[in-house]
Amino acid sequence: MNFKKLLPFSFLALSGFYTSGQTLNTKIDQKAQALESKIVTWRRDFHQNPELGNREFKTAEKIAAHLKQLGFEVQTGVAHTGVVGLLKGGKPGPVVALRADMDGLPVTERVDLPFKSSVTTEYNGQNTGVMHACGHDTHVAILMGVAEVLASVKADLKGTVKFIFQPAEEGAPEGEEGGAKLMVKEGVLENPKVDAIFGLHINSQTEVNTIAYKPGATMAAVDFFSIDVKGKQTHGAYPWSGVDPIVTSSQIVTGLQTIVSRNLDITKAPAVVTIGAIHGGIRQNIIPEEVKMIGTIRTFDEEMHTHVHKRVKEISTNIAESAGATANVKIDVLYPVTFNDIPLTEKMIGTLQNVAGKENVILTSAKTGAEDFSYFQQKVPGFFFFLGGMPKGKNPLEAAPHHTPDFYIDESGLVLGVRSLSRLAVDYMEQSAGATKAKK
């Protein structure tokens, strides 16, 4: 095999890299493959024992113990339960950060697995199961695998790798700070200062052993909102004696659908306004005084983002007023757009193509899901991609989406995740070393 032909053009300029790079890449791939059963075991343990955001105590303990065993400098309690590990290579070079999120979701698992979650809790006043219904268990297991792989080639690394295990990607509990935003605030990208950051997300509707990516805006900005509609309570047999907040809320829900369909130029960028829950009433023959609604907004464009906020408030308050009710709207701005640094993405795509095969690396469209990895990308160049987790040959339309009780991941693709993140870190270091040498 002519290894030189497999390398992207930018690598060919790196004097002396062919032999040492080939040897190092081979070591990484072989070590990752040898760790497969260990990675799967870790993933199943985390899956069976999920923890919600800012409460990932046992998860953090296991991660910290693993990193310490590998000889890393380890910091715990970052942004409540986060763990940061530092691996200093044998040679000078840049600082590369790799990130995995740790939290589960308030979802009751329905998939019949031997390692199915049976954890339960109370969330927003309701009893629910807890499940890794977004694949964060796989992210943690993959990054633990990367830590072991890169520790085994520490002497060959031209730089430092910072491993960031992040809590509360799905959002912190009410009244608390958390997630990537708090980690950045606490200085996770400093001391030593990070030059670039990489992350991945497993995807249940992308075929296993494939990778999907998009330069620029990749995932949407996300906001949460609540609407409290107050009417006048009365007997259900005499609705004219009160003001019905249930009917009013129904009209508000319908009205909000016109924001995307009638108020936004969706040829410019997509947008979503979704009501996720409605709570009101207690008995068949009582019209309640109040109804509470909660929902989410997804946008990619700042001007559209501002306009959606304006219309949510106008539609809700004006419809309520027309019915004799009132509507109090509160919008919480959460994560910004997940934006892949374009030069960094272009520079590193060759690495993913070398690892997965060019035919298995797919340019995808923007996703209306959201990720607080965006906070890291606001500070340093970042590249975030999607790792296939759907069984080979399955119809994506039939695969259970994320955040659902039937969410399922094919574990045979986890090694590709380990190889991808490991090689991105090493290749970024090699390219930086080559660029420094060229300047001299």
Side-chain angles (χ1 to χ4, degrees), residues 99 169 197-203 206 211-222 268-272 298-301 335-346 349 352 362-375 377 381-387:
R99 175 270 206 167
E169 190 282 325
I197 187 167
F198 300 101
L200 61 74
H201 205 301
I202 200 80
N203 190 275
T206 299
I211 288 171
Y213 77 98
K214 181 185 179 297
T218 300
M219 299 183 78
V222 56
K268 184 179 180 181
V272 173
R298 307 295 168 113
T299 55
F300 289 90
D301 177 83
Y335 311 157
V337 172
T338 304
F339 190 91
N340 281 336
D341 182 82
I342 293 174
L344 178 65
T345 303
E346 291 176 348
I349 283 304
L352 294 183
I362 304 158
L363 181 64
T364 189
S365 58
K367 310 296 181 188
T368 50
E371 245 288 346
D372 74 349
F373 187 82
S374 53
Y375 284 112
Q377 292 173 314
F383 177 33
F384 190 78
F385 61 97
F386 302 97
L387 177 70

Side-chain angles (χ1 to χ4, degrees), residues 233-298:
Q233 186 162 324
T234 187
H235 196 298
Y238 313 107
W240 53 85
S241 299
V243 176
D244 193 335
I246 293 178
V247 171
T248 304
S249 296
S250 301
Q251 292 172 335
I252 290 173
V253 172
T254 301
L256 293 178
Q257 305 314 301
T258 65
I259 296 175
V260 175
S261 66
R262 291 295 179 270
N263 299 152
L264 300 179
D265 180 0
I266 57 173
T267 64
K268 184 179 180 181
V272 173
V273 178
T274 292
I275 294 291
I278 301 178
H279 301 287
I282 194 170
R283 183 179 165 87
Q284 299 94 328
N285 62 347
I286 300 175
I287 291 175
E289 181 179 58
E290 186 175 12
V291 169
K292 293 180 180 290
M293 296 183 281
I294 54 176
T296 187
I297 298 166
R298 307 295 168 113

Side-chain angles (χ1 to χ4, degrees), residues 92-114:
V95 179
V96 181
L98 304 175
R99 175 270 206 167
D101 38 9
M102 307 188 298
D103 52 326
L105 284 160
V107 175
T108 303
E109 185 162 14
R110 203 155 49 200
V111 186
D112 188 17
L113 297 170

Side-chain angles (χ1 to χ4, degrees), residues 2-22:
N2 186 345
F3 182 74
K4 187 181 293 188
K5 288 184 178 179
L6 297 178
L7 294 172
F9 177 77
S10 58
F11 275 60
L12 301 180
L14 302 180
S15 174
F17 177 60
Y18 305 130
T19 303
S20 61
Q22 181 180 12

